[in-house]
Amino acid sequence: MAEDQTDEARAGQPRAHTPLLEWLVAGLGAGLVLATLGFLIQHSQTRDQTPPAVRVEPAAAVPVATGFLVAFTAYNDGDTPAAQIPIEGVLVGAAGPAERAEITLDLLPARSEMTGGLFFSRAPEAGELTVRALGFTEP
Amino acid sequence: MTAAASPARPPLRDFAIALARAFGGALVFGLPILMTQEMWHLGFVMQPWRLALFVALMFPVLAVLAYYAGFEATVRLKDCVLSACIAYAVGFVAAALGLLLFNQLTLGDSLDKVVGMVAIQAVPAAIGAMLARSQLGQQSEERTEEVRRDSYGGEVFLAGIGALFLAFNIAPTEEILLLASTMTVWHALILCLVSLLMMHGFVYAVEFRGQTTMPEGVSGWSEFLRLTVVAYALALLVAYYVLWTFGRCDGIAFGEQLIRVVVLGWPAALGAAAARLIL
């Protein structure tokens, strides 16, 4: 009987003395996990609703040792991720035959952006430069 | 604590043995990352200030880790700081030697490349060096540290270390990015719940060695909230921090970042749960 009581007293100890700080940390943890779940549920409402739409915006050309560099930012305006996206730059009318440069972006998640660059031997300002995405595969 | 007053400086031979053990730990824990292709480039591709922040943040973490599972059953702050310094020294040397051995570092390499490559590899190696005594070494000093580890702060801290270690091993791989893009949001949500259940089951339901027995009179819900949920939240934060450090979230929409975090959060959660059992 006496033993039971001590056992009970000992067993009751952790609950009675769970410090406030532990509950605060627990609340913070629960808040973070619930916020994660909540945001994911919200995200699921839009994800994959529209197909990948890759828009490429070239920056001004910068002279480099071997010619000119055109840095670009590729935006995926769709709600679906895209992979293996060829980015093609075509430069026409810069005193010579049309010049073409291409690079492939590995992965571009939905509503996200990625940067890259294309090299040209002639100054893109002298002609007309178009940079666009040619296609994609689904990851 | 009074009885286990830290012994006078250990003889040179003991220190040499401890150092050798630390090297062993650094290799065992550092090898998976040392032999991961992405990690050879990340060190000098990632933003230098993020790497600097990471290396600096890990120092106090190592010092606290020394308190819970260090080379010696240290009590004083000075000893913990000293242990962290030694762990970093071992980590840096082990990482540099490993990279030289694999011919990823050559003597003609530029300084910023060398520093970046070695620094990022040194962190997991330093954790390994610190854990070596706890895992590979003698068990004589285990008792005091065991008592410390059983405190709430100790449990949560070690869960964070376990999460960091596994997250760090897996975060550099391209697979995380690919998985996050291939999975639907519902997969991610289910993964969240599976991670939580798995963590709880790992520690309380499955009969593991060193299993924590649930104290009587404490409700399961209280344990779930105070330990499992907190450890999972910590695992997610650690996963996010590691992904951010590696630049895996740059330019990515928040929802997509979150899926990556949940994907990496799974191994991080496993690490957090396992740390509470193993350490």
Side-chain angles (χ1 to χ4, degrees), chain B residues 34-41 44 95-107 109 113-114 117-118 121:
Chain B
L34 201 60
M35 300 183 78
T36 299
Q37 180 183 312
E38 288 89 341
M39 287 299 288
W40 306 330
H41 316 300
F44 57 90
L97 286 178
L99 288 168
L100 279 170
L101 197 60
F102 290 138
N103 200 20
Q104 289 304 315
L105 269 190
T106 49
L107 294 175
D109 284 334
K113 183 185 171 192
V114 173
M117 279 180 89
V118 175
Q121 298 274 0

mmCIF file of all heavy atoms in Angstrom, chain B residues 34-41 44 95-107 109 113-114 117-118 121:
data_model
loop_
_atom_site.group_PDB
_atom_site.id
_atom_site.type_symbol
_atom_site.label_atom_id
_atom_site.label_comp_id
_atom_site.label_asym_id
_atom_site.label_seq_id
_atom_site.Cartn_x
_atom_site.Cartn_y
_atom_site.Cartn_z
ATOM 1 N N LEU B 34 31.315 12.627 -48.351
ATOM 2 C CA LEU B 34 32.595 12.759 -49.053
ATOM 3 C C LEU B 34 32.509 12.110 -50.432
ATOM 4 O O LEU B 34 33.157 12.541 -51.373
ATOM 5 C CB LEU B 34 33.685 12.072 -48.218
ATOM 6 C CG LEU B 34 35.128 12.490 -48.464
ATOM 7 C CD1 LEU B 34 35.324 13.954 -48.187
ATOM 8 C CD2 LEU B 34 36.064 11.662 -47.601
ATOM 9 N N MET B 35 31.696 11.067 -50.552
ATOM 10 C CA MET B 35 31.595 10.346 -51.813
ATOM 11 C C MET B 35 30.323 10.671 -52.573
ATOM 12 O O MET B 35 29.849 9.877 -53.374
ATOM 13 C CB MET B 35 31.716 8.841 -51.547
ATOM 14 C CG MET B 35 33.046 8.505 -50.899
ATOM 15 S SD MET B 35 33.324 6.764 -50.614
ATOM 16 C CE MET B 35 33.788 6.183 -52.233
ATOM 17 N N THR B 36 29.743 11.833 -52.322
ATOM 18 C CA THR B 36 28.573 12.281 -53.080
ATOM 19 C C THR B 36 29.007 13.361 -54.055
ATOM 20 O O THR B 36 29.561 14.380 -53.649
ATOM 21 C CB THR B 36 27.489 12.821 -52.128
ATOM 22 O OG1 THR B 36 27.096 11.771 -51.252
ATOM 23 C CG2 THR B 36 26.265 13.297 -52.890
ATOM 24 N N GLN B 37 28.744 13.123 -55.325
ATOM 25 C CA GLN B 37 29.219 14.006 -56.397
ATOM 26 C C GLN B 37 28.826 15.465 -56.191
ATOM 27 O O GLN B 37 29.654 16.366 -56.318
ATOM 28 C CB GLN B 37 28.662 13.480 -57.712
ATOM 29 C CG GLN B 37 29.044 14.269 -58.931
ATOM 30 C CD GLN B 37 28.385 13.691 -60.164
ATOM 31 O OE1 GLN B 37 28.422 12.485 -60.381
ATOM 32 N NE2 GLN B 37 27.770 14.517 -60.961
ATOM 33 N N GLU B 38 27.556 15.701 -55.855
ATOM 34 C CA GLU B 38 27.076 17.079 -55.737
ATOM 35 C C GLU B 38 27.867 17.871 -54.697
ATOM 36 O O GLU B 38 28.050 19.074 -54.831
ATOM 37 C CB GLU B 38 25.589 17.099 -55.361
ATOM 38 C CG GLU B 38 24.638 16.680 -56.477
ATOM 39 C CD GLU B 38 24.376 15.184 -56.513
ATOM 40 O OE1 GLU B 38 25.182 14.411 -55.932
ATOM 41 O OE2 GLU B 38 23.376 14.778 -57.124
ATOM 42 N N MET B 39 28.325 17.157 -53.656
ATOM 43 C CA MET B 39 29.010 17.852 -52.578
ATOM 44 C C MET B 39 30.363 18.402 -52.986
ATOM 45 O O MET B 39 30.884 19.312 -52.357
ATOM 46 C CB MET B 39 29.185 16.920 -51.378
ATOM 47 C CG MET B 39 27.923 16.636 -50.618
ATOM 48 S SD MET B 39 27.200 18.132 -49.943
ATOM 49 C CE MET B 39 28.350 18.508 -48.637
ATOM 50 N N TRP B 40 30.988 17.846 -54.032
ATOM 51 C CA TRP B 40 32.299 18.350 -54.451
ATOM 52 C C TRP B 40 32.167 19.743 -55.039
ATOM 53 O O TRP B 40 33.086 20.540 -54.968
ATOM 54 C CB TRP B 40 32.943 17.417 -55.477
ATOM 55 C CG TRP B 40 33.032 15.996 -55.014
ATOM 56 C CD1 TRP B 40 33.159 15.586 -53.722
ATOM 57 C CD2 TRP B 40 32.984 14.827 -55.805
ATOM 58 N NE1 TRP B 40 33.196 14.227 -53.669
ATOM 59 C CE2 TRP B 40 33.095 13.725 -54.929
ATOM 60 C CE3 TRP B 40 32.874 14.575 -57.170
ATOM 61 C CZ2 TRP B 40 33.082 12.408 -55.379
ATOM 62 C CZ3 TRP B 40 32.867 13.278 -57.617
ATOM 63 C CH2 TRP B 40 32.972 12.206 -56.730
ATOM 64 N N HIS B 41 31.004 20.013 -55.643
ATOM 65 C CA HIS B 41 30.835 21.328 -56.269
ATOM 66 C C HIS B 41 30.152 22.319 -55.351
ATOM 67 O O HIS B 41 30.445 23.500 -55.396
ATOM 68 C CB HIS B 41 30.028 21.204 -57.566
ATOM 69 C CG HIS B 41 30.452 20.057 -58.417
ATOM 70 N ND1 HIS B 41 31.732 19.948 -58.907
ATOM 71 C CD2 HIS B 41 29.785 18.963 -58.846
ATOM 72 C CE1 HIS B 41 31.836 18.826 -59.608
ATOM 73 N NE2 HIS B 41 30.675 18.206 -59.574
ATOM 74 N N PHE B 44 31.922 25.303 -53.404
ATOM 75 C CA PHE B 44 32.338 26.563 -54.023
ATOM 76 C C PHE B 44 31.289 27.143 -54.965
ATOM 77 O O PHE B 44 31.478 28.196 -55.541
ATOM 78 C CB PHE B 44 33.707 26.434 -54.719
ATOM 79 C CG PHE B 44 33.777 25.351 -55.766
ATOM 80 C CD1 PHE B 44 33.472 25.620 -57.080
ATOM 81 C CD2 PHE B 44 34.169 24.067 -55.422
ATOM 82 C CE1 PHE B 44 33.551 24.637 -58.043
ATOM 83 C CE2 PHE B 44 34.244 23.063 -56.384
ATOM 84 C CZ PHE B 44 33.928 23.355 -57.689
ATOM 85 N N ALA B 95 38.303 15.753 -43.704
ATOM 86 C CA ALA B 95 37.687 16.115 -44.980
ATOM 87 C C ALA B 95 38.755 16.425 -46.027
ATOM 88 O O ALA B 95 38.668 15.964 -47.173
ATOM 89 C CB ALA B 95 36.768 17.321 -44.788
ATOM 90 N N ALA B 96 39.760 17.188 -45.634
ATOM 91 C CA ALA B 96 40.816 17.553 -46.578
ATOM 92 C C ALA B 96 41.567 16.319 -47.051
ATOM 93 O O ALA B 96 41.821 16.151 -48.252
ATOM 94 C CB ALA B 96 41.777 18.546 -45.931
ATOM 95 N N LEU B 97 41.901 15.430 -46.106
ATOM 96 C CA LEU B 97 42.622 14.207 -46.483
ATOM 97 C C LEU B 97 41.774 13.356 -47.426
ATOM 98 O O LEU B 97 42.282 12.833 -48.426
ATOM 99 C CB LEU B 97 42.991 13.397 -45.232
ATOM 100 C CG LEU B 97 44.138 13.969 -44.398
ATOM 101 C CD1 LEU B 97 44.380 13.100 -43.165
ATOM 102 C CD2 LEU B 97 45.406 14.081 -45.229
ATOM 103 N N GLY B 98 40.495 13.229 -47.112
ATOM 104 C CA GLY B 98 39.610 12.432 -47.961
ATOM 105 C C GLY B 98 39.538 12.992 -49.375
ATOM 106 O O GLY B 98 39.644 12.262 -50.365
ATOM 107 N N LEU B 99 39.384 14.306 -49.490
ATOM 108 C CA LEU B 99 39.280 14.936 -50.809
ATOM 109 C C LEU B 99 40.594 14.825 -51.584
ATOM 110 O O LEU B 99 40.588 14.643 -52.803
ATOM 111 C CB LEU B 99 38.868 16.402 -50.659
ATOM 112 C CG LEU B 99 37.407 16.624 -50.243
ATOM 113 C CD1 LEU B 99 37.167 18.067 -49.840
ATOM 114 C CD2 LEU B 99 36.461 16.220 -51.368
ATOM 115 N N LEU B 100 41.717 14.923 -50.865
ATOM 116 C CA LEU B 100 43.021 14.749 -51.521
ATOM 117 C C LEU B 100 43.177 13.327 -52.027
ATOM 118 O O LEU B 100 43.632 13.087 -53.139
ATOM 119 C CB LEU B 100 44.149 15.073 -50.539
ATOM 120 C CG LEU B 100 44.502 16.543 -50.338
ATOM 121 C CD1 LEU B 100 45.453 16.711 -49.164
ATOM 122 C CD2 LEU B 100 45.116 17.130 -51.606
ATOM 123 N N LEU B 101 42.747 12.386 -51.198
ATOM 124 C CA LEU B 101 42.867 10.971 -51.537
ATOM 125 C C LEU B 101 42.073 10.634 -52.798
ATOM 126 O O LEU B 101 42.498 9.834 -53.624
ATOM 127 C CB LEU B 101 42.353 10.139 -50.353
ATOM 128 C CG LEU B 101 42.731 8.671 -50.302
ATOM 129 C CD1 LEU B 101 44.240 8.516 -50.241
ATOM 130 C CD2 LEU B 101 42.095 8.019 -49.086
ATOM 131 N N PHE B 102 40.901 11.256 -52.955
ATOM 132 C CA PHE B 102 40.055 10.996 -54.121
ATOM 133 C C PHE B 102 40.437 11.882 -55.301
ATOM 134 O O PHE B 102 39.719 11.923 -56.298
ATOM 135 C CB PHE B 102 38.589 11.211 -53.773
ATOM 136 C CG PHE B 102 38.034 10.167 -52.847
ATOM 137 C CD1 PHE B 102 37.206 10.523 -51.808
ATOM 138 C CD2 PHE B 102 38.328 8.836 -53.033
ATOM 139 C CE1 PHE B 102 36.685 9.563 -50.955
ATOM 140 C CE2 PHE B 102 37.811 7.866 -52.178
ATOM 141 C CZ PHE B 102 36.993 8.240 -51.138
ATOM 142 N N ASN B 103 41.497 12.663 -55.149
ATOM 143 C CA ASN B 103 41.959 13.569 -56.205
ATOM 144 C C ASN B 103 40.901 14.613 -56.571
ATOM 145 O O ASN B 103 40.850 15.098 -57.693
ATOM 146 C CB ASN B 103 42.372 12.785 -57.463
ATOM 147 C CG ASN B 103 43.285 13.607 -58.355
ATOM 148 O OD1 ASN B 103 43.903 14.571 -57.890
ATOM 149 N ND2 ASN B 103 43.358 13.256 -59.621
ATOM 150 N N GLN B 104 40.026 14.945 -55.642
ATOM 151 C CA GLN B 104 39.066 16.025 -55.881
ATOM 152 C C GLN B 104 39.717 17.356 -55.536
ATOM 153 O O GLN B 104 39.314 18.394 -56.038
ATOM 154 C CB GLN B 104 37.805 15.814 -55.036
ATOM 155 C CG GLN B 104 36.961 14.658 -55.517
ATOM 156 C CD GLN B 104 36.562 14.797 -56.966
ATOM 157 O OE1 GLN B 104 36.157 15.864 -57.400
ATOM 158 N NE2 GLN B 104 36.692 13.723 -57.735
ATOM 159 N N LEU B 105 40.705 17.299 -54.671
ATOM 160 C CA LEU B 105 41.502 18.484 -54.346
ATOM 161 C C LEU B 105 42.900 18.217 -54.856
ATOM 162 O O LEU B 105 43.445 17.141 -54.643
ATOM 163 C CB LEU B 105 41.582 18.678 -52.824
ATOM 164 C CG LEU B 105 40.558 19.521 -52.096
ATOM 165 C CD1 LEU B 105 41.011 19.728 -50.678
ATOM 166 C CD2 LEU B 105 40.343 20.843 -52.794
ATOM 167 N N THR B 106 43.453 19.202 -55.558
ATOM 168 C CA THR B 106 44.855 19.075 -55.959
ATOM 169 C C THR B 106 45.601 20.298 -55.459
ATOM 170 O O THR B 106 44.980 21.322 -55.126
ATOM 171 C CB THR B 106 44.990 18.947 -57.486
ATOM 172 O OG1 THR B 106 44.205 19.980 -58.089
ATOM 173 C CG2 THR B 106 44.476 17.614 -57.977
ATOM 174 N N LEU B 107 46.897 20.184 -55.416
ATOM 175 C CA LEU B 107 47.686 21.242 -54.786
ATOM 176 C C LEU B 107 47.588 22.563 -55.561
ATOM 177 O O LEU B 107 47.789 23.632 -55.000
ATOM 178 C CB LEU B 107 49.149 20.794 -54.656
ATOM 179 C CG LEU B 107 49.299 19.610 -53.685
ATOM 180 C CD1 LEU B 107 50.728 19.096 -53.667
ATOM 181 C CD2 LEU B 107 48.845 19.993 -52.281
ATOM 182 N N ASP B 109 44.878 23.895 -56.795
ATOM 183 C CA ASP B 109 43.536 24.494 -56.756
ATOM 184 C C ASP B 109 43.540 25.871 -56.103
ATOM 185 O O ASP B 109 44.344 26.146 -55.220
ATOM 186 C CB ASP B 109 42.579 23.576 -55.992
ATOM 187 C CG ASP B 109 42.156 22.380 -56.812
ATOM 188 O OD1 ASP B 109 42.172 22.494 -58.052
ATOM 189 O OD2 ASP B 109 41.842 21.331 -56.229
ATOM 190 N N LYS B 113 38.245 27.644 -53.775
ATOM 191 C CA LYS B 113 37.717 26.313 -54.065
ATOM 192 C C LYS B 113 38.063 25.356 -52.921
ATOM 193 O O LYS B 113 37.202 24.615 -52.425
ATOM 194 C CB LYS B 113 38.301 25.798 -55.383
ATOM 195 C CG LYS B 113 37.747 24.451 -55.789
ATOM 196 C CD LYS B 113 38.417 23.914 -57.030
ATOM 197 C CE LYS B 113 37.978 22.473 -57.258
ATOM 198 N NZ LYS B 113 38.786 21.781 -58.261
ATOM 199 N N VAL B 114 39.315 25.408 -52.491
ATOM 200 C CA VAL B 114 39.769 24.507 -51.424
ATOM 201 C C VAL B 114 38.973 24.762 -50.144
ATOM 202 O O VAL B 114 38.443 23.837 -49.525
ATOM 203 C CB VAL B 114 41.281 24.706 -51.156
ATOM 204 C CG1 VAL B 114 41.710 23.891 -49.940
ATOM 205 C CG2 VAL B 114 42.086 24.328 -52.375
ATOM 206 N N MET B 117 35.246 23.628 -50.532
ATOM 207 C CA MET B 117 35.079 22.171 -50.580
ATOM 208 C C MET B 117 35.327 21.530 -49.220
ATOM 209 O O MET B 117 34.584 20.653 -48.792
ATOM 210 C CB MET B 117 36.055 21.569 -51.598
ATOM 211 C CG MET B 117 35.586 21.667 -53.016
ATOM 212 S SD MET B 117 36.789 20.939 -54.128
ATOM 213 C CE MET B 117 36.258 19.236 -54.162
ATOM 214 N N VAL B 118 36.397 21.989 -48.555
ATOM 215 C CA VAL B 118 36.756 21.359 -47.279
ATOM 216 C C VAL B 118 35.776 21.764 -46.181
ATOM 217 O O VAL B 118 35.326 20.930 -45.395
ATOM 218 C CB VAL B 118 38.214 21.705 -46.888
ATOM 219 C CG1 VAL B 118 38.525 21.152 -45.504
ATOM 220 C CG2 VAL B 118 39.181 21.149 -47.919
ATOM 221 N N GLN B 121 32.492 19.863 -46.145
ATOM 222 C CA GLN B 121 32.667 18.455 -45.769
ATOM 223 C C GLN B 121 33.058 18.305 -44.314
ATOM 224 O O GLN B 121 32.847 17.262 -43.693
ATOM 225 C CB GLN B 121 33.760 17.817 -46.638
ATOM 226 C CG GLN B 121 33.458 17.804 -48.109
ATOM 227 C CD GLN B 121 32.644 16.596 -48.517
ATOM 228 O OE1 GLN B 121 32.300 15.762 -47.692
ATOM 229 N NE2 GLN B 121 32.317 16.516 -49.793
#
